[in-house]
Amino acid sequence: MMQHQPIASPESFTTERLCQRMLERHRDVIRVQKDHLAVRKLVKIVTAALDLSSRLGFHAMSLRDLSRESGVSMGGLYSYFDSKTTLLSMILTEVGVTATEVLGQAPADVRADPRRHLDWLIDTHIRLTEVMQPWFVFAFMEAKAFPQPARKMAVDSEEATEKIFAEALRLGAGRGLFQAGNPELTAALIKPLLQDWYVKRAKYRRRGIAIGDYVAAVSAFVSAALGDRPAVQP
Amino acid sequence: MMQHQPIASPESFTTERLCQRMLERHRDVIRVQKDHLAVRKLVKIVTAALDLSSRLGFHAMSLRDLSRESGVSMGGLYSYFDSKTTLLSMILTEVGVTATEVLGQAPADVRADPRRHLDWLIDTHIRLTEVMQPWFVFAFMEAKAFPQPARKMAVDSEEATEKIFAEALRLGAGRGLFQAGNPELTAALIKPLLQDWYVKRAKYRRRGIAIGDYVAAVSAFVSAALGDRPAVQP
DNA sequence: ATAATAAAATCGAACGCTCGCTCGATTTTG
DNA sequence: CAAAATCGAGCGAGCGTTCGATTTTATTAT
């Protein structure tokens, strides 16, 4: 608990840690008091919820399904949320907060160089969504079913990410590194390239494309589009 | 009925025509016999279904919602499908078939030039999904809820589209027009750029980005990434 | 034109079932 | 042995679906 925590890298976001953060954030709703018990069950519940939702969608998942799959009784579930919709919001919140937090944490020296910053953003985004794949798919697919406040948060989180990209592009264009006539539009086009990795994860797995290949491909694709000449031996 | 039909352009796929095709394809399930009556109601039902689904998802839409919104009674709905799942499949089938059909119809002279073919594919894909936006969003979002056969069709349709892109890329690379080391992966990266236009349609509308701007941006982005130098005055 | 009529299309109340959710009884924990 | 955590049967509401009654449609006879 008190141990020193390194700067959060994508890999550090295990389900366990995410559920810990979830517990802290929703202490008012979660009625179980002992942390170690609460986290242990939360992991079971959230894991089952993400799994069931990914198969048929959150709405199609009944709480009886969730109870069976997680091994927590119907009544027990309601010690962790006060409605099915609250569970939805809790998961989404965690995704939004984490994404914004991680992507805003580029080291100063990386941020100073727009070219490196862009590569760092691409790499970090893809690696984070790889580690939290079920979470991100959930947020992406169920976003429309959110209650108003959570929904706005999802949109804001998406826009925040795009802003970070647009800022790096603008800075790079200002220094004559990129041809980015319209940084906002270019950032908007980079986003779906990153999202495809988790939205269509099964496709890339089927084709045997590893995460490193994908990062490299997106990175090359983007920098070529920006007018960066690919690195060649002199 | 007997009138001469031009080569299908994206714009020709009105809801009315799509429902006509839907009727022909599902004559065995649809119990209404008079075509003009059937098409008129199908338009109402499908329009309402796409609208309601886009708001909360297909599963969350009850048939009472659909009945109210479409103006067709509960019993009446069941003259047009034999289960809620069948309605889902009917809409998906129409999307898959139409996409494959339209994108495979590039004129011979266009197909002969990989550069033009690529631009044609980008332009046609975006314009088709613009005209059929609710349909494509539906297929994209509800794909996981499909019964096995319809689901496979969705995946196949997606792969078919990508194959057409990969083929053009391979041809162009062979002629030394593009740097496309891995046509499959490049095609896989182009796809989400096209999908973003309909999946995040609201975002682009909010930002005042017109379809022509988007087509141009994707086209420029892709050809830059492929090593095509942007056209400049000599 | 109009009225009569059989077929087609439409309707909506009713059925059985499953849903989200609650709460008193029971088990586990420290 | 309290307090905390967990359980699962039971509640009312709303679901997808059905089906006999009713209205609309297209055709025929006047």
mmCIF file of all heavy atoms in Angstrom, chain A residues 34 36-37, chain C residues 29-30, chain D residues 1-3:
data_model
loop_
_atom_site.group_PDB
_atom_site.id
_atom_site.type_symbol
_atom_site.label_atom_id
_atom_site.label_comp_id
_atom_site.label_asym_id
_atom_site.label_seq_id
_atom_site.Cartn_x
_atom_site.Cartn_y
_atom_site.Cartn_z
ATOM 1 N N LYS A 34 -13.935 -4.535 4.082
ATOM 2 C CA LYS A 34 -12.557 -5.032 4.065
ATOM 3 C C LYS A 34 -12.000 -4.993 2.643
ATOM 4 O O LYS A 34 -12.509 -5.679 1.754
ATOM 5 C CB LYS A 34 -12.516 -6.477 4.589
ATOM 6 C CG LYS A 34 -13.279 -6.685 5.904
ATOM 7 C CD LYS A 34 -12.368 -6.811 7.089
ATOM 8 C CE LYS A 34 -13.075 -6.537 8.398
ATOM 9 N NZ LYS A 34 -14.048 -7.583 8.801
ATOM 10 N N HIS A 36 -9.273 -6.148 1.148
ATOM 11 C CA HIS A 36 -8.737 -7.339 0.468
ATOM 12 C C HIS A 36 -9.855 -8.256 -0.017
ATOM 13 O O HIS A 36 -9.767 -8.865 -1.076
ATOM 14 C CB HIS A 36 -7.764 -8.090 1.389
ATOM 15 C CG HIS A 36 -8.406 -8.698 2.578
ATOM 16 N ND1 HIS A 36 -8.836 -7.952 3.666
ATOM 17 C CD2 HIS A 36 -8.733 -9.979 2.875
ATOM 18 C CE1 HIS A 36 -9.375 -8.748 4.563
ATOM 19 N NE2 HIS A 36 -9.329 -10.001 4.102
ATOM 20 N N LEU A 37 -10.963 -8.326 0.765
ATOM 21 C CA LEU A 37 -12.110 -9.112 0.307
ATOM 22 C C LEU A 37 -12.784 -8.464 -0.888
ATOM 23 O O LEU A 37 -13.121 -9.121 -1.874
ATOM 24 C CB LEU A 37 -13.136 -9.263 1.441
ATOM 25 C CG LEU A 37 -12.767 -10.208 2.591
ATOM 26 C CD1 LEU A 37 -13.862 -10.204 3.651
ATOM 27 C CD2 LEU A 37 -12.554 -11.615 2.054
ATOM 28 P P DT C 29 -13.984 -16.906 5.390
ATOM 29 O OP1 DT C 29 -13.305 -16.523 4.135
ATOM 30 O OP2 DT C 29 -13.642 -18.150 6.107
ATOM 31 O "O5'" DT C 29 -13.844 -15.698 6.421
ATOM 32 C "C5'" DT C 29 -14.203 -14.376 5.989
ATOM 33 C "C4'" DT C 29 -14.035 -13.422 7.159
ATOM 34 O "O4'" DT C 29 -15.010 -13.734 8.185
ATOM 35 C "C3'" DT C 29 -12.662 -13.499 7.842
ATOM 36 O "O3'" DT C 29 -12.042 -12.231 7.707
ATOM 37 C "C2'" DT C 29 -12.962 -13.874 9.295
ATOM 38 C "C1'" DT C 29 -14.426 -13.480 9.448
ATOM 39 N N1 DT C 29 -15.212 -14.287 10.431
ATOM 40 C C2 DT C 29 -15.901 -13.623 11.427
ATOM 41 O O2 DT C 29 -15.892 -12.422 11.557
ATOM 42 N N3 DT C 29 -16.614 -14.450 12.261
ATOM 43 C C4 DT C 29 -16.695 -15.827 12.205
ATOM 44 O O4 DT C 29 -17.359 -16.467 13.029
ATOM 45 C C5 DT C 29 -15.945 -16.453 11.144
ATOM 46 C C7 DT C 29 -15.963 -17.951 10.994
ATOM 47 C C6 DT C 29 -15.243 -15.660 10.300
ATOM 48 P P DG C 30 -10.481 -12.083 7.995
ATOM 49 O OP1 DG C 30 -9.972 -11.094 7.036
ATOM 50 O OP2 DG C 30 -9.905 -13.451 8.073
ATOM 51 O "O5'" DG C 30 -10.426 -11.455 9.458
ATOM 52 C "C5'" DG C 30 -10.999 -10.162 9.686
ATOM 53 C "C4'" DG C 30 -11.011 -9.905 11.185
ATOM 54 O "O4'" DG C 30 -11.906 -10.861 11.819
ATOM 55 C "C3'" DG C 30 -9.655 -10.084 11.874
ATOM 56 O "O3'" DG C 30 -9.474 -9.037 12.831
ATOM 57 C "C2'" DG C 30 -9.774 -11.435 12.574
ATOM 58 C "C1'" DG C 30 -11.249 -11.454 12.921
ATOM 59 N N9 DG C 30 -11.833 -12.776 13.121
ATOM 60 C C8 DG C 30 -11.492 -13.960 12.516
ATOM 61 N N7 DG C 30 -12.222 -14.982 12.898
ATOM 62 C C5 DG C 30 -13.101 -14.435 13.826
ATOM 63 C C6 DG C 30 -14.132 -15.065 14.583
ATOM 64 O O6 DG C 30 -14.470 -16.247 14.577
ATOM 65 N N1 DG C 30 -14.787 -14.134 15.389
ATOM 66 C C2 DG C 30 -14.481 -12.788 15.465
ATOM 67 N N2 DG C 30 -15.214 -12.062 16.290
ATOM 68 N N3 DG C 30 -13.526 -12.200 14.761
ATOM 69 C C4 DG C 30 -12.875 -13.078 13.968
ATOM 70 P P DC D 1 -20.925 -17.067 23.485
ATOM 71 O OP1 DC D 1 -21.564 -16.422 24.657
ATOM 72 O OP2 DC D 1 -21.578 -18.186 22.808
ATOM 73 O "O5'" DC D 1 -20.655 -15.907 22.428
ATOM 74 C "C5'" DC D 1 -20.031 -14.703 22.861
ATOM 75 C "C4'" DC D 1 -19.925 -13.761 21.682
ATOM 76 O "O4'" DC D 1 -18.926 -14.260 20.775
ATOM 77 C "C3'" DC D 1 -21.219 -13.622 20.853
ATOM 78 O "O3'" DC D 1 -21.437 -12.252 20.504
ATOM 79 C "C2'" DC D 1 -20.912 -14.394 19.585
ATOM 80 C "C1'" DC D 1 -19.414 -14.119 19.450
ATOM 81 N N1 DC D 1 -18.678 -15.069 18.586
ATOM 82 C C2 DC D 1 -17.573 -14.599 17.865
ATOM 83 O O2 DC D 1 -17.240 -13.399 17.977
ATOM 84 N N3 DC D 1 -16.897 -15.449 17.059
ATOM 85 C C4 DC D 1 -17.285 -16.730 16.972
ATOM 86 N N4 DC D 1 -16.589 -17.541 16.189
ATOM 87 C C5 DC D 1 -18.399 -17.225 17.709
ATOM 88 C C6 DC D 1 -19.059 -16.375 18.487
ATOM 89 P P DA D 2 -21.930 -11.258 21.877
ATOM 90 O OP1 DA D 2 -20.665 -10.837 22.463
ATOM 91 O OP2 DA D 2 -22.993 -11.928 22.651
ATOM 92 O "O5'" DA D 2 -22.579 -9.963 21.199
ATOM 93 C "C5'" DA D 2 -22.709 -9.937 19.784
ATOM 94 C "C4'" DA D 2 -21.659 -8.997 19.199
ATOM 95 O "O4'" DA D 2 -20.581 -9.784 18.628
ATOM 96 C "C3'" DA D 2 -22.187 -8.114 18.086
ATOM 97 O "O3'" DA D 2 -21.430 -6.950 18.024
ATOM 98 C "C2'" DA D 2 -21.990 -9.012 16.873
ATOM 99 C "C1'" DA D 2 -20.681 -9.747 17.220
ATOM 100 N N9 DA D 2 -20.663 -11.136 16.732
ATOM 101 C C8 DA D 2 -21.578 -12.123 16.985
ATOM 102 N N7 DA D 2 -21.290 -13.276 16.407
ATOM 103 C C5 DA D 2 -20.106 -13.023 15.729
ATOM 104 C C6 DA D 2 -19.289 -13.831 14.927
ATOM 105 N N6 DA D 2 -19.555 -15.110 14.676
ATOM 106 N N1 DA D 2 -18.190 -13.279 14.398
ATOM 107 C C2 DA D 2 -17.916 -11.993 14.664
ATOM 108 N N3 DA D 2 -18.614 -11.131 15.423
ATOM 109 C C4 DA D 2 -19.698 -11.717 15.912
ATOM 110 P P DA D 3 -21.992 -5.667 17.182
ATOM 111 O OP1 DA D 3 -21.510 -4.436 17.867
ATOM 112 O OP2 DA D 3 -23.424 -5.880 16.912
ATOM 113 O "O5'" DA D 3 -21.186 -5.828 15.820
ATOM 114 C "C5'" DA D 3 -19.778 -6.097 15.854
ATOM 115 C "C4'" DA D 3 -19.251 -6.226 14.438
ATOM 116 O "O4'" DA D 3 -19.309 -7.610 14.022
ATOM 117 C "C3'" DA D 3 -20.023 -5.418 13.390
ATOM 118 O "O3'" DA D 3 -19.062 -4.813 12.547
ATOM 119 C "C2'" DA D 3 -20.883 -6.468 12.677
ATOM 120 C "C1'" DA D 3 -20.029 -7.732 12.808
ATOM 121 N N9 DA D 3 -20.778 -8.981 12.909
ATOM 122 C C8 DA D 3 -21.994 -9.191 13.506
ATOM 123 N N7 DA D 3 -22.411 -10.444 13.459
ATOM 124 C C5 DA D 3 -21.384 -11.095 12.776
ATOM 125 C C6 DA D 3 -21.210 -12.439 12.398
ATOM 126 N N6 DA D 3 -22.093 -13.407 12.669
ATOM 127 N N1 DA D 3 -20.085 -12.756 11.724
ATOM 128 C C2 DA D 3 -19.203 -11.786 11.459
ATOM 129 N N3 DA D 3 -19.247 -10.488 11.761
ATOM 130 C C4 DA D 3 -20.378 -10.206 12.414
#
